[in-house]
Amino acid sequence: QVLLVESGGELVQAGGSLRLSCVVSIGNSRRVFNTYTMGWFRQAPGKDREFVGHVDTNDRTVYPDSVKGRFSISKDIDKNTIYLQMNNLKPGDTAVYYCAAGLGGADARWYDYWGPGTQVTVSS
């Protein structure tokens, strides 16, 4: 059983930065990070769920072109937390952001566990 809870979403101006957190509600997060790829997705109203990156069990990261160079994913094992650092935010980044644990990749169906999401709104 893996429980994920995102936080940090808020209203920001275009060009600003924001860091999202995803806390893994389990005693030993090392076990989670060594077992699952941790991914970030986002979904805006009326749009499909969109992959924004993952970090795998070997700490390798993957990002789509839409966020590459602006977003980065990191881990803090001692805090049982995965982060999504978002810089140079654009209005198109507005969405509910979800963290997930699973096999990894850009296809959401390969993830087994999901957090409830946190809203990010970027104003012009």
Side-chain angles (χ1 to χ4, degrees):
Q1 183 177 358
V2 179
L3 301 177
L4 310 173
V5 180
E6 306 93 340
S7 64
E10 62 182 47
L11 173 66
V12 298
Q13 293 184 344
S17 297
L18 194 64
R19 188 181 74 168
L20 305 183
S21 301
C22 177
V23 177
V24 182
S25 298
I26 190 171
N28 186 0
S29 63
R30 298 178 189 268
R31 180 170 58 191
V32 175
F33 294 151
N34 289 337
T35 302
Y36 300 101
T37 291
M38 305 299 298
W40 284 96
F41 289 79
R42 65 188 182 187
Q43 188 163 25
K47 295 186 177 181
D48 294 333
R49 191 176 302 148
E50 180 185 12
F51 174 70
V52 296
H54 78 219
V55 56
D56 68 18
T57 55
N58 294 123
D59 295 322
R60 295 174 297 187
T61 54
V62 173
Y63 306 98
D65 290 340
S66 59
V67 305
K68 191 174 298 182
R70 298 190 298 122
F71 291 10
S72 62
I73 297 171
S74 61
K75 300 175 180 176
D76 189 328
I77 295 176
D78 292 336
K79 294 183 178 179
N80 306 312
T81 300
I82 181 172
Y83 300 98
L84 178 65
Q85 178 67 46
M86 304 184 293
N87 299 321
N88 191 25
L89 284 162
K90 307 175 185 299
D93 297 319
T94 295
V96 176
Y97 283 71
Y98 301 91
C99 63
L103 294 176
D107 191 337
R109 81 182 192 94
W110 293 110
Y111 293 81
D112 301 308
Y113 306 98
W114 294 84
T118 185
Q119 175 70 233
V120 172
T121 302
V122 184
S123 62
S124 300

